Amino acid sequence: MPDFTIETTYHLPVFRRRTYAADTLDAACRAAIDDDSWDIAEKDFDSSGPVHITGIWDGAHAAYAGPPLQIPQQFEEPVQRRARHFEILLGLLKMLLDDISAARPPLPDWLARSAWAVARGEAILAGDPDPEEPVDLPKPSHVLVRLQEAGVRDAIVAVLEIDPSFEALSPEAVTDDDVHAACLSIATTMDFSDVVGSAEFQAALSAIRSAHRRLTSGSD
């Protein structure tokens, strides 16, 4: 069987305890960070990091004697693997947030990347290899109703104009926090199950009719 030279590493925390006089907590923390004197340092063996692979070479006693082999992802340092994945997730979140802010559906390509990123995050937590692309996407969902706080604000103005029971109240007296809390309450308590069920049934009928027309016209 072949031989491989493998370099394994674990990080050993080194700590110190020192008193700093400062005007604020932030200033004390900054002084501790900037302190270059480690003459009282101690090693914390109980908090050492996990063992991970930092180099692989083909052959016996071959460390740095030739080009290294690719380290399988599941054997890399977990914290570095998570840090790299964080950058991927942040980029995807920015793109999805931009779509949500513009009230447009996300592109299928971004959904596919997001599904892969979720699967990769789960693999990282489990210490498994990265998933192969593409990852099966969940079936698409569709927004039937969107509750917009700007629309609620317009409705407040309309109600106050015609309802005499609130004549002492101006639209400006209803704060953005009031509107936001009210929208959250309605969104979490209002039951749309009948509406969703009806929409799903109507969509099923429409899909059936479309398939029936296609098959019927093809057999003529």
Side-chain angles (χ1 to χ4, degrees), residues 119-158:
R120 184 174 190 259
E122 292 174 342
I124 290 174
L125 292 177
D128 293 335
D130 286 354
E132 297 291 336
E133 295 188 68
V135 174
D136 291 336
L137 288 173
K139 295 299 183 182
S141 60
H142 304 274
V143 178
L144 292 177
V145 178
R146 186 185 298 275
L147 182 57
Q148 301 277 12
E149 293 189 8
V152 175
R153 177 64 70 181
D154 293 339
I156 289 171
V157 174

Side-chain angles (χ1 to χ4, degrees), residues 30-168:
R30 176 51 56 192
I33 293 295
D34 294 339
D35 186 357
D36 293 332
S37 176
W38 287 86
D39 55 310
I40 60 171
E42 298 180 49
K43 297 178 180 178
D44 186 2
F45 292 96
D46 293 334
S47 300
S48 59
V51 176
H52 54 281
I53 306 298
T54 49
I56 305 176
W57 295 267
D58 194 4
H61 311 293
Y64 299 98
L69 303 179
Q70 180 69 39
I71 300 173
Q73 303 100 338
Q74 66 268 32
F75 299 117
E76 295 177 348
E77 185 179 14
V79 67
Q80 291 298 326
R81 196 178 178 201
R82 293 170 188 168
R84 289 194 296 271
H85 193 54
F86 174 81
E87 296 179 3
I88 296 175
L89 294 176
L90 180 60
L92 289 171
L93 182 59
K94 287 180 178 179
M95 297 302 300
L96 293 175
L97 181 59
D98 184 61
D99 286 337
I100 293 172
S101 300
R104 61 174 178 260
L107 296 175
D109 181 54
W110 287 113
L111 289 176
R113 294 188 187 186
S114 298
W116 175 83
V118 170
R120 184 174 190 259
E122 292 174 342
I124 290 174
L125 292 177
D128 293 335
D130 286 354
E132 297 291 336
E133 295 188 68
V135 174
D136 291 336
L137 288 173
K139 295 299 183 182
S141 60
H142 304 274
V143 178
L144 292 177
V145 178
R146 186 185 298 275
L147 182 57
Q148 301 277 12
E149 293 189 8
V152 175
R153 177 64 70 181
D154 293 339
I156 289 171
V157 174
V159 169
L160 293 180
E161 286 179 349
I162 63 174
D163 193 334
S165 60
F166 298 112
E167 59 183 356

Side-chain angles (χ1 to χ4, degrees), residues 12 65 89 147 151 184 189 194:
L12 180 64
L89 294 176
L147 182 57
L184 288 178
T189 60
D194 290 342

Side-chain angles (χ1 to χ4, degrees), residues 195-216:
V195 176
V196 172
S198 176
E200 290 173 344
F201 182 74
Q202 293 298 327
L205 286 180
S206 179
I208 291 171
R209 294 190 185 105
S210 176
H212 182 264
R213 287 194 300 270
R214 184 181 68 255
L215 295 176
T216 304

